Amino acid sequence: MLLKHILQQLTDIKALTTIVFITILVTSCATPPTGTNTQGITNSSSLDALLAAAEKAEQQPEPLKAKKLVEIAQYLVNLNEHSSAKKIFNNIDSNQLDHLDYFTYTVIGNDIHLTENSLYQARTLLSSRKLEEMMGQLSINQQQQIHRMKAELFQRTGESISSLYERIALGTLLYDSDELQQNNNAIWQELSSFTLYELITLSDNITDSTLSNWLALATISKQHQHNLELQSSNISDWVNNNPDHPASNHLPDEIALLQELILSKPNNIALLLPLQGKLAKAGQAIRDGFMAAYYLNKDNQQNQQVINFYNTSGEDINSVYNQAVANGAK
């Protein structure tokens, strides 16, 4: 019985050894884990290595071929080899890509098209139905990137309203205070390109409440740009009436600066200008322009400023400056 038991143990050990050997053999022959680069290319690969890898990828069956070409095109863009990246990009069958690879494909294509100033191609790419349908499957960061790309492209193509809508959509996905501020500044920069008449006309035709209130804020700024106090008062009223608007907690820097200007507005102003000699005409033009703006706004000001002129022609500028300060200039 003892001998039989020992033989049985040896048989079990032999079977176990065989299983372990087979497991190791299968593991060594298995497909590398997801994310492993089977072509051996990296961010540090040379142009020749990447082009060689692209030739090999062309021989692969779909969808592996499309996936590998996207990867290689991305490396080429990172190397600023946009011409080579474009050739590979044009050989990619985008219908073979899943939503993650299609996102990368879109970013690559947009970069290539903008580098070549091919705005129409970039617009076609960013307006694809596939991209629109898969937006909900992308991460928040990826959605942010798509909205930024669209906003910047529409700005370049002169489609201001479309750019504004993309910026507004982007704002709903941002949580970082600095990023929200930067996005609102970009919106304000776009709005500042409109005339007062255009702002009023657009306000009558826009139904989106967020954009409509952005237009109202810009209209206030345009209407009262010669009266800081009235402009500031109306902006405060706008904020109170729109507490949930994205601009209420992150006013564009230009408007925030307005409040500082009012609080620190000087009551004693000195203009140091060359009023004689070869620069006299330039100095006089600046003086006349300043005074024209001053008198235009004078009736609306509660506190009038004292304005003194100092001729810098043939004078030491530091001495003139110190004299102005000694006379109370702010």
Side-chain angles (χ1 to χ4, degrees), residues 268-304:
N268 190 317
I269 299 172
L271 268 69
L272 283 62
L273 297 167
L275 300 176
Q276 296 175 344
K278 62 181 181 180
L279 295 177
K281 289 185 178 180
Q284 291 165 7
I286 294 173
R287 177 197 62 192
D288 295 345
F290 183 92
M291 293 308 298
Y294 171 75
Y295 285 117
L296 179 64
N297 196 35
K298 182 177 180 180
D299 293 339
N300 298 319
Q301 300 294 334
Q302 295 178 354
N303 300 313
Q304 299 302 316

Side-chain angles (χ1 to χ4, degrees), residues 13-257:
I13 292 172
K14 181 178 181 181
L16 179 61
T17 303
T18 301
I19 292 172
V20 171
F21 174 77
I22 293 173
T23 301
I24 294 173
L25 181 62
V26 171
T27 302
S28 65
C29 297
T31 302
T34 301
T36 299
N37 191 326
T38 57
Q39 293 174 307
I41 57 174
T42 66
N43 278 320
S44 61
S45 296
S46 67
L47 173 61
D48 289 340
L50 291 170
L51 294 179
E55 289 184 9
K56 292 181 180 179
E58 290 283 358
Q59 308 306 316
Q60 298 292 328
E62 297 288 12
L64 180 60
K65 171 185 172 181
K67 181 179 181 68
K68 300 310 294 184
L69 290 179
V70 166
E71 179 184 353
I72 296 166
Q74 178 67 78
Y75 286 131
L76 288 168
V77 168
N78 293 343
L79 290 175
N80 290 320
E81 295 288 350
H82 289 84
S83 178
S84 297
K86 181 181 178 180
K87 293 178 182 178
I88 293 173
F89 178 83
N90 289 338
N91 287 334
I92 298 172
D93 183 356
S94 61
N95 293 321
Q96 301 293 331
L97 301 172
D98 61 26
H99 68 275
L100 290 177
D101 287 325
Y102 190 81
F103 166 78
T104 305
Y105 168 86
T106 302
V107 174
I108 294 169
N110 184 68
D111 194 324
I112 293 171
H113 294 322
L114 292 186
T115 299
E116 297 186 336
N117 202 35
S118 301
L119 302 185
Y120 176 79
Q121 287 87 338
R123 195 188 190 289
T124 300
L125 181 66
L126 292 178
S127 302
S128 73
R129 178 179 295 181
K130 183 172 182 177
L131 181 62
E132 188 67 27
E133 292 175 347
M134 66 180 233
M135 281 292 284
Q137 303 176 56
L138 299 177
S139 69
I140 296 297
N141 288 339
Q142 290 171 332
Q143 292 181 51
Q144 291 173 3
Q145 189 169 352
I146 294 295
H147 284 303
R148 281 196 184 94
M149 290 193 302
K150 285 186 174 183
E152 292 168 2
L153 174 65
F154 289 140
Q155 184 182 33
R156 290 180 63 171
T157 58
E159 299 172 85
S160 296
I161 297 301
S162 295
S163 180
L164 288 169
Y165 275 126
E166 292 299 330
R167 285 287 178 186
I168 289 171
L170 172 60
T172 65
L173 300 172
L174 297 175
Y175 302 98
D176 180 80
S177 181
D178 290 340
E179 291 184 345
L180 282 166
Q181 189 65 50
Q182 291 174 9
N183 192 54
N184 283 359
N185 288 341
I187 290 175
W188 190 252
Q189 181 180 6
E190 192 73 47
L191 289 169
S192 298
S193 66
F194 292 112
T195 65
L196 177 59
Y197 174 78
E198 289 172 332
L199 289 170
I200 294 173
T201 302
L202 285 170
S203 297
D204 294 336
N205 296 285
I206 295 295
T207 57
D208 181 83
S209 60
T210 302
L211 179 54
S212 179
N213 284 320
W214 268 114
L215 293 170
L217 182 61
T219 300
I220 290 171
S221 177
K222 290 281 186 180
Q223 282 179 325
H224 307 296
Q225 56 186 343
H226 296 300
N227 190 325
L228 297 184
E229 284 82 3
L230 183 58
Q231 185 180 155
S232 177
S233 175
N234 286 349
I235 289 174
S236 295
D237 290 340
W238 181 93
V239 171
N240 291 332
N241 292 331
N242 300 279
D244 297 325
H245 192 274
S248 291
N249 293 323
H250 294 87
L251 281 172
D253 289 342
E254 186 176 316
I255 292 188
L257 178 62

